[in-house]
Amino acid sequence: MSLKGQVAMVTGASRGIGRAIALQLAARGAALVVTATTLEAARHTAEEIEQAGGKALALKVDVSVGAEVEGLFKEALAAFGRLDILVNNAGITKDGLLLRMKEADWDAVMDVNLKGAFNCTREAAKVMSKARYGRIVNVSSVVGEMGNPGQANYCASKAGMIGLTKSVAKELARRNVTANAVTPGFIETDMTRDLSDKAREALLEQIPMARLGSGDDIAAAVLFLVSAGASYITGHVLSVNGGMYM
Ligand code: NAD
């Protein structure tokens, strides 16, 4: 599979799942727009791509701020002149039980995870509609499908991303732009690294494959969804969760 000649943008690509996705897309020949909340963090992944012989542009953005996202797309288009693939991966958690959850924690998570995906998708849709080609992949979560105590804000944002994906898929289908979601289960990243041994054990009991996933497991699903073989797949939610939720 070759993505030579294509340009891909991955939000939140400084580490974890986003970094794995960016590296895998670049390894297939795509030029990468690597974004993170700090330029230094974005540069880290961009340098890795360049050292491996790829092409990458590091840009700083807070996806929850519409004006920043507009600026991001302007810079990316000025540099590469096109955008074929958008992966909405940036995400945060601010966990707490519903009765104690602060309004600010609800808003922060919805703003980054859901509004951030909206902001980037709207900008990408302008470019992709005109080009009559595009692949949008939203990184949702298994808990957006099944719910999770202590994560009402996060689960709502991730379920919202699925609704966003399906609506965008319907709106842009005639323009040959697909929109799909992947729903990772529990993946070994900074987001899950701090779990206590007890919490980790309880988690593993819920996973038929009895292991956490890796960033590369998610990247492989994204690669498929942006490949030519997936050109008739849109509005799909692809679970990558070791059997945790079926
Ligand atoms: P991570 O915390 O390691 O990385 C998150 C990335 O998002 C970082 O690069 C960070 O800079 C970026 N980010 C945070 N706020 C941002 C903002 N306002 N604007 C732009 N970028 C921002 O997380 P991860 O585990 O790699 O998760 C990546 C995605 O996968 C997230 O959307 C997360 O919800 C989802 N996910 C993760 C898991 C898991 O088990 N790790 C499971 C399901 C879904």
Side-chain angles (χ1 to χ4, degrees):
M1 170 195 175
S2 172
L3 298 174
K4 250 202 167 80
Q6 297 198 29
V7 177
M9 178 187 289
V10 181
T11 65
S14 60
R15 56 176 199 249
I17 294 172
R19 175 178 161 274
I21 294 170
L23 295 180
Q24 292 289 340
L25 289 170
R28 301 302 184 287
L32 256 291
V33 182
V34 173
T35 91
T37 42
T38 69
L39 194 53
E40 200 193 343
R43 273 193 186 134
H44 206 73
T45 303
E47 276 163 16
E48 259 185 284
I49 290 171
E50 277 166 356
Q51 274 158 20
K55 217 172 166 188
L57 172 69
L59 292 173
K60 164 186 158 15
V61 72
D62 179 345
V63 292
S64 68
V65 182
E68 280 195 31
V69 172
E70 271 180 43
L72 163 76
F73 275 76
K74 262 190 201 135
E75 276 193 68
L77 288 170
F80 291 125
R82 60 187 290 156
L83 182 71
D84 304 280
I85 297 165
L86 167 69
V87 182
N88 284 309
N89 167 79
I92 59 167
T93 52
K94 285 198 185 286
D95 297 349
L97 292 171
L98 180 71
L99 290 176
R100 274 184 244 140
M101 186 172 286
K102 297 195 177 72
E103 192 178 338
D105 292 341
W106 173 272
D107 287 345
V109 169
M110 294 302 277
D111 281 357
V112 175
N113 299 6
L114 185 54
K115 195 168 103 183
F118 158 72
N119 283 336
C120 294
T121 301
R122 191 175 54 173
E123 290 308 306
K126 294 176 191 167
V127 187
M128 292 175 174
S129 292
K130 219 182 255 173
R132 296 196 174 259
Y133 182 84
R135 298 285 176 262
I136 299 167
V137 182
N138 292 324
V139 180
S140 172
S141 171
V142 65
V143 298
E145 300 171 292
M146 61 187 274
N148 203 26
Q151 290 197 306
N153 50 359
Y154 183 76
C155 297
S157 73
K158 292 297 182 181
M161 283 180 92
I162 293 174
L164 173 69
T165 303
K166 292 182 178 182
S167 301
V168 170
K170 286 188 173 176
E171 282 191 31
L172 301 183
R174 279 170 188 266
R175 300 276 173 155
N176 193 29
V177 177
T178 66
N180 292 288
V182 291
T183 49
F186 281 92
I187 308 300
E188 197 84 61
T189 68
D190 288 352
M191 216 179 239
T192 47
R193 198 153 290 140
D194 293 340
L195 289 172
S196 66
D197 286 351
K198 209 173 145 208
R200 188 171 286 261
E201 251 171 57
L203 202 62
L204 289 176
E205 267 172 31
Q206 295 179 55
I207 306 172
M209 292 191 87
R211 67 170 177 89
L212 267 65
S214 70
D216 281 341
D217 289 327
I218 307 308
V222 173
L223 282 182
F224 168 64
L225 290 171
V226 305
S227 72
S231 60
Y232 200 53
I233 298 175
T234 195
H236 186 68
V237 180
L238 182 53
S239 301
V240 188
N241 62 26
M244 185 178 170
Y245 181 78
M246 300 177 188

